[in-house]
């Protein structure tokens, strides 16, 4: 029996990195679906594999899945509320958005940040394609996140600006790289590790949305140490099992204001005497971020 890390899964066959090299393995039947995340095995899982006989052939089988330290999960597409795990055992999530082309959907960024916080995974925001608008315009768009306390890196994969900082953030850790299609995630990884050769594609001029170039999550070993999970671009991102009363704690700029409302059970959506709403109206916290919170709390922002 060998222990290893799942690099990729496709069609029920999983690539597993073991001390003896990469093996292809299938699931042994007794492994049950994880109802919390909607998946038996995902990229990043630590597993045990052993050889089985299948007729005249010897095949590898996953016989055990270790407990996960963390898991990133989104709500699966469709009306039924069920989870879809993306990647397991992540140390940090790098959330990549473009300064332009495609235009940044900041409420979607807010949902990424909430999912990271709910999963207890540290986020790092990367603003790519700064060459399209200039640094001043990029900071004007994303400055609210810096003021809220999030780490933000401004990059241009095309001009190789900020790529070294991204490399430094990735080395020695297991990271997930997430963001909408077309923002340049694969281009950034190709810049971090020249020769990686991940496929990239142009953004559709007609709809200003990216084409999917990563079709399944995959765990990529880095020459500087560590791993990065390149995940499929997401055009939708629904929250999964985020408790409404916990949502206020996932907006760090709210923290100094909590406890200052007139009512102890204030939801910060409509109540009189709400310290958070007052701060948003006064410009002490970003009003768009507050509105994003309110929409998420009321279930109005699931597009």
């Amino acid at each position: 029996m060998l222990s290893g890390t799942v690099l990729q899964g496709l069609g029920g066959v999983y690539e597993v990195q073991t001390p003896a090299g990469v093996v292809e393995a299938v699931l042994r039947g007794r492994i049950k679906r994880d109802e919390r995340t909607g998946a038996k095995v995902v990229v990043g899982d630590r597993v045990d594999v052993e050889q089985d006989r299948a007729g005249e052939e010897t095949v590898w089988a996953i016989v055990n899945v270790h407990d996960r330290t963390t898991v990133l999960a989104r709500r699966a597409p469709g009306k039924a509320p069920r989870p879809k795990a993306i990647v397991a055992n992540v140390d940090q999530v790098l959330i990549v958005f473009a300064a332009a082309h495609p235009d940044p959907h900041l409420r979607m960024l807010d949902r990424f940040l909430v999912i990271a916080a709910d999963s207890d995974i540290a986020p790092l925001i990367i603003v790519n394609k700064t060459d399209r608008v200039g640094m001043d315009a990029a900071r004007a768009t994303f400055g609210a996140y810096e003021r809220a306390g999030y780490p933000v890196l401004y990059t241009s994969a095309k001009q190789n600006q900020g790529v070294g900082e991204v490399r430094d953030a990735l080395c020695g850790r297991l990271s997930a790289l997430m963001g909408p299609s077309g923002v340049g995630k694969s281009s950034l990884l190709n810049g971090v590790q020249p020769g990686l050769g991940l496929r990239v594609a142009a953004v559709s001029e007609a709809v200003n949305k990216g084409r999917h170039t990563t079709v399944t999550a995959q765990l990529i070993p880095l020459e500087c140490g560590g791993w990065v999970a390149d995940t499929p671009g997401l055009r939708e991102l629904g929250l999964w099992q985020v408790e409404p009363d916990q949502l206020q704690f996932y907006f760090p700029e709210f923290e100094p204001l909590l406890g200052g409302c007139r009512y102890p059970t204030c939801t910060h959506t409509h109540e009189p005497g709400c310290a958070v709403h007052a701060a948003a109206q006064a410009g002490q916290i970003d009003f768009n971020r507050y509105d994003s919170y309110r929409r998420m709390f009321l279930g109005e922002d699931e597009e």
Side-chain angles (χ1 to χ4, degrees), residues 127 130-131 133-141 153-156 161:
V127 182
T130 55
D131 54 288
V133 298
M135 189 63 70
D136 289 344
R139 287 188 180 277
T141 299
L153 290 179
Y154 294 89
T155 69
S156 169
Q161 294 178 351

Side-chain angles (χ1 to χ4, degrees), residues 42-43 51 65 73 136 142 147 179 186 197 207 221 226 244 248 252 264 274:
V42 298
V43 165
Q51 289 185 317
V65 182
D136 289 344
F142 290 89
R147 293 190 292 273
S186 295
V207 297
Q248 61 185 319
C274 173

